[in-house]
Amino acid sequence: MKVTRSEFLRYVGKGALALAAVKSGSLLSKSEILTSSFPIPTPRSRSRSLSTALENGLPFTPIRPNTEDDLILPEGFQYDIIALFGDRVNRKGDTFGFNADFNCFLPFPGKKDSGLLWTNHEYLRDLEYYVNGFDYKKSSSQKRTDSQIETYLYNLGGSVTHLRKVNGIWKLDPDSKFGRRIHGRTPIRFAGPASGSEALDGKTETYGTFGNCSGGITLWDTVLSCEENVSWMIEDCYLTNPKEYGWVVEVDPFSPDSTPIKHTALGRFEHENTALTLSKSGRLVVYMGDDSKDQYVYKYVSNGTYDPDSGKLNSSLLDSGTLFAANFEFGKWIALDYEKNQDLRNAKAKNGNVLFKNQADVLVHCRLAAECVGATPMDRPEDLEIHPIDKSIYVSFTNNDKHGNLFGQIVRIVEKDHDHEGIEFEFEVFAAGGGKSGFASPDNLAFDRLANLWMVTDITTKLIGNHQYAKFGNNGLFYLPTAGRHQGKAFQFASAPVGSELTGPWFAEKDKVLFLSVQHPGETTKDYSNPSSRWPRRKKGDIPRPGVVAIRRS
Ligand code: FEO
Ligand code: CA
Ligand code: CA
């Protein structure tokens, strides 16, 4: 079914209830589509890669939607547990945090059997009881003790774990000097235009990162971890400095004593992830989404150009550049630049007060700035990833019940002249959620080396198995080829334990292993002594434990 651009916009961004049955219609004419038949690299036969195709053209026999309390995989695949909530990560006794999300694996240079895994720890909410003994459902009538708040904040942020491959299986080394926790009390410095500004109350440093949802890596082997639903933690922990959260944080896992950096030039909002690449001129470009209903898609373009010989000094490219918000109606990136954009300088509040006095104000109140310049409100922009061959940008719009968009879709953005620093773009729907496609609420994305898209779903816990969502079973992991006879179709690869979502898919070892988080198993629990999931240990008395697995062929 063809969908026109204006129909799509009415559907996703402008509030109409139309098009609940949008299929993966192409919005671009044939000549506009970059390429749908790009050369696909052929993996060597007998490869252990997860993406090597079988005779059916797929690398596995798809599974059916499932409601079992297990991580279900197709025949011929298995998973090894890498790290679970509470596992020791270093000799000091630091432990792996709660609700694992984004993963990235950075091998030590020249080493095939040793590397550092970064994992985000996002939130506690309904499962907080298992972390600090506090019943979240009673939080309106009871207060957390100081010690409960410390435990709460310690278990968010991220973990660096040192993995070693022993007899073909990746394992956490609990004694490594690289094992590290960054958490809700870790000292962090600000960089970029808002650091030290009046907009940030003069702050150049802060304590803590939390709400760490997804993220990305840089070209100089550091991690960008994204602070998403920070208002939950600010409220739960009675914090009074909300402007210090909602940023992108850079962490250098290879330097255990390094201070993480919040890069203010990337704006403050509910950051889902970052997808970093280079423009034709060598500028750094970072694509980002704000995962809330009717929020925006952004990109950042650095002023300077990337110099591979400068290594970690390239980090400063993230502190001086232009932030843009997307207007999908006109296919334009609009600069959130106080000096150049009159709409920002003229913007006034209802009481007549000037909204922004300088660029720091724009960055700290990014959502307001995007609204003022006419960016298009979208249906919860989640993960963005860049296609490894044609360089188009795939974006998950997870859903937005305000517009009757219950199942979400994946959209593909093509920059004009295929240049990431350009200010014009085209887009099309790549795949739409629903009964026919077999998935709902797309979230994190990852490309394998053959440019197949892997996507996890995030049906909200209270809706899993209910009404319109019953047919999808538990949340899952899906495989969607981006070319060939199965282009745009979704095939289920994994089904998540009860009450959980799968997050943070990350391919390593030339696709021979897929790191994946199992987040919030048992979130449907009503009685804490009788959890709805006991994944993965299943021992009587044990609690459900979020964590990370490594998936490989059996
Ligand atoms: Fe934390 Fe937008 O998912
Ligand atoms: Ca997410
Ligand atoms: Ca999500």
Side-chain angles (χ1 to χ4, degrees):
M1 173 176 130
K2 286 263 179 192
V3 193
T4 68
R5 188 180 315 277
S6 58
E7 280 171 331
F8 177 79
L9 285 166
R10 272 208 309 281
Y11 178 54
V12 299
K14 299 286 184 178
L17 268 170
L19 290 174
V22 174
K23 305 296 187 296
S24 52
S26 170
L27 295 179
L28 306 182
S29 69
K30 238 181 177 165
S31 60
E32 287 170 309
I33 292 191
L34 248 183
T35 168
S36 58
S37 57
F38 42 77
I40 298 176
T42 321
R44 275 179 293 140
S45 59
R46 301 183 62 209
S47 163
R48 304 286 295 166
S49 151
L50 267 67
S51 51
T52 307
L54 304 172
E55 275 171 20
N56 60 1
L58 301 172
F60 58 91
T61 304
I63 63 167
R64 311 266 315 153
N66 199 302
T67 54
E68 265 183 65
D69 181 31
D70 204 351
L71 176 58
I72 312 271
L73 302 175
E75 212 181 308
F77 294 83
Q78 67 183 81
Y79 68 87
D80 308 307
I81 303 273
I82 297 293
L84 296 175
F85 162 60
D87 285 355
R88 184 162 65 85
V89 301
N90 60 24
R91 217 170 264 183
K92 280 189 295 182
D94 277 317
T95 53
F96 199 72
F98 203 67
N99 268 353
D101 202 300
F102 174 67
N103 293 296
C104 60
F105 182 68
L106 300 168
F108 283 99
K111 293 257 169 108
K112 281 191 174 160
D113 55 0
S114 177
L116 299 179
L117 180 76
W118 168 269
T119 305
N120 276 357
H121 300 298
E122 191 178 12
Y123 71 96
L124 306 182
R125 289 237 132 169
D126 294 73
L127 298 172
E128 180 178 349
Y129 181 81
Y130 294 128
V131 177
N132 64 2
F134 184 81
D135 185 345
Y136 169 75
K137 295 183 192 91
K138 294 187 182 149
S139 54
S140 57
S141 59
Q142 289 175 13
K143 277 196 128 190
R144 290 168 187 80
T145 64
D146 289 350
S147 147
Q148 282 172 326
I149 289 173
E150 291 311 309
T151 307
Y152 184 121
L153 290 171
Y154 177 79
N155 282 290
L156 302 181
S159 292
V160 180
T161 47
H162 186 167
L163 306 192
R164 296 179 193 277
K165 201 173 179 186
V166 183
N167 297 329
I169 296 174
W170 286 102
K171 291 206 165 117
L172 189 162
D173 175 355
D175 294 318
S176 170
K177 64 175 184 194
F178 290 99
R180 183 180 183 189
R181 284 301 323 281
I182 308 278
H183 52 72
R185 292 292 196 203
T186 303
I188 299 181
R189 73 179 175 90
F190 286 110
S195 177
S197 69
E198 195 187 332
L200 206 50
D201 304 323
K203 295 280 180 68
T204 55
E205 51 196 31
T206 184
Y207 286 98
T209 180
F210 41 71
N212 306 71
C213 185
S214 189
I217 55 169
T218 65
L219 299 167
W220 49 96
D221 277 358
T222 60
V223 178
L224 297 175
S225 176
C226 292
E227 299 179 341
E228 192 193 31
N229 292 300
V230 294
S231 55
W232 302 352
M233 293 92 203
I234 289 166
E235 192 182 322
D236 288 352
C237 298
Y238 324 118
L239 301 176
T240 54
N241 48 351
K243 291 187 290 188
E244 292 166 38
Y245 306 97
W247 301 101
V248 175
V249 189
E250 184 180 13
V251 177
D252 180 357
F254 292 99
S255 306
D257 299 324
S258 57
T259 304
I261 307 166
K262 297 199 184 195
H263 288 288
T264 63
L266 302 180
R268 175 176 155 267
F269 46 88
E270 290 185 4
H271 281 275
E272 173 73 22
N273 87 314
T274 61
L276 184 147
T277 187
L278 294 179
S279 70
K280 284 184 179 174
S281 72
R283 288 187 167 80
L284 212 63
V285 180
V286 186
Y287 292 93
M288 300 173 287
D290 181 343
D291 177 12
S292 278
K293 293 171 192 176
D294 300 332
Q295 289 301 325
Y296 309 100
V297 173
Y298 298 85
K299 80 170 174 184
Y300 169 85
V301 181
S302 67
N303 288 338
T305 55
Y306 174 68
D307 173 9
D309 295 331
S310 296
K312 286 172 185 168
L313 295 176
N314 283 295
S315 170
S316 63
L317 293 173
L318 295 171
D319 300 325
S320 170
T322 307
L323 187 63
F324 296 85
N327 179 308
F328 281 78
E329 200 159 1
F330 303 118
K332 285 251 177 2
W333 292 104
I334 309 171
L336 301 178
D337 182 325
Y338 184 82
E339 296 302 325
K340 293 189 188 138
N341 194 322
Q342 210 171 346
D343 290 341
L344 294 172
R345 292 199 303 279
N346 293 343
K348 296 234 165 55
K350 277 192 187 132
N351 62 10
N353 286 352
V354 170
L355 277 179
F356 311 105
K357 293 195 290 277
N358 48 45
Q359 186 62 16
D361 273 339
V362 169
L363 295 169
V364 170
H365 305 285
C366 212
R367 285 180 165 178
L368 199 53
E371 188 186 342
C372 286
V373 302
T376 307
M378 303 301 282
D379 287 355
R380 295 190 50 202
E382 292 249 28
D383 223 303
L384 299 96
E385 296 295 334
I386 299 165
H387 191 285
I389 297 173
D390 73 18
K391 304 298 174 198
S392 57
I393 301 102
Y394 284 63
V395 191
S396 283
F397 293 107
T398 202
N399 57 44
N400 189 344
D401 55 6
K402 281 165 84 176
H403 310 155
N405 181 359
L406 298 182
F407 305 129
Q409 58 276 110
I410 301 168
V411 163
R412 178 171 169 259
I413 294 173
V414 181
E415 295 276 25
K416 190 177 181 191
D417 300 328
H418 317 314
D419 192 356
H420 292 292
E421 70 173 81
I423 55 163
E424 289 177 46
F425 65 88
E426 298 273 349
F427 70 92
E428 65 175 344
V429 179
F430 170 69
K436 194 170 176 209
S437 59
F439 70 86
S441 305
D443 192 336
N444 300 150
L445 305 173
F447 283 103
D448 63 31
R449 298 198 321 145
L450 304 185
N452 300 299
L453 187 64
W454 297 68
M455 172 264 297
V456 293
T457 57
D458 178 14
I459 301 170
T460 305
T461 300
K462 68 178 185 333
L463 297 174
I464 297 173
N466 288 330
H467 308 294
Q468 292 296 333
Y469 295 94
K471 54 183 166 286
F472 303 106
N474 292 349
N475 276 310
L477 167 62
F478 293 79
Y479 163 90
L480 298 91
T482 63
R485 67 175 146 133
H486 296 310
Q487 182 184 32
K489 290 186 199 143
F491 302 92
Q492 188 162 1
F493 178 82
S495 174
V498 166
S500 73
E501 64 175 305
L502 302 175
T503 52
W506 186 270
F507 285 99
E509 278 195 292
K510 298 185 178 169
D511 296 350
K512 285 197 195 72
V513 62
L514 176 70
F515 292 107
L516 184 70
S517 295
V518 177
Q519 191 185 101
H520 59 75
E523 203 172 51
T524 41
T525 294
K526 299 216 159 52
D527 168 7
Y528 291 122
S529 61
N530 185 23
S532 62
S533 169
R534 288 192 200 269
W535 188 87
R537 291 181 180 155
R538 299 180 203 298
K539 282 193 208 128
K540 205 164 176 247
D542 199 10
I543 61 168
R545 286 185 191 270
V548 180
V549 301
I551 295 173
R552 60 187 165 97
R553 286 188 185 272
S554 303

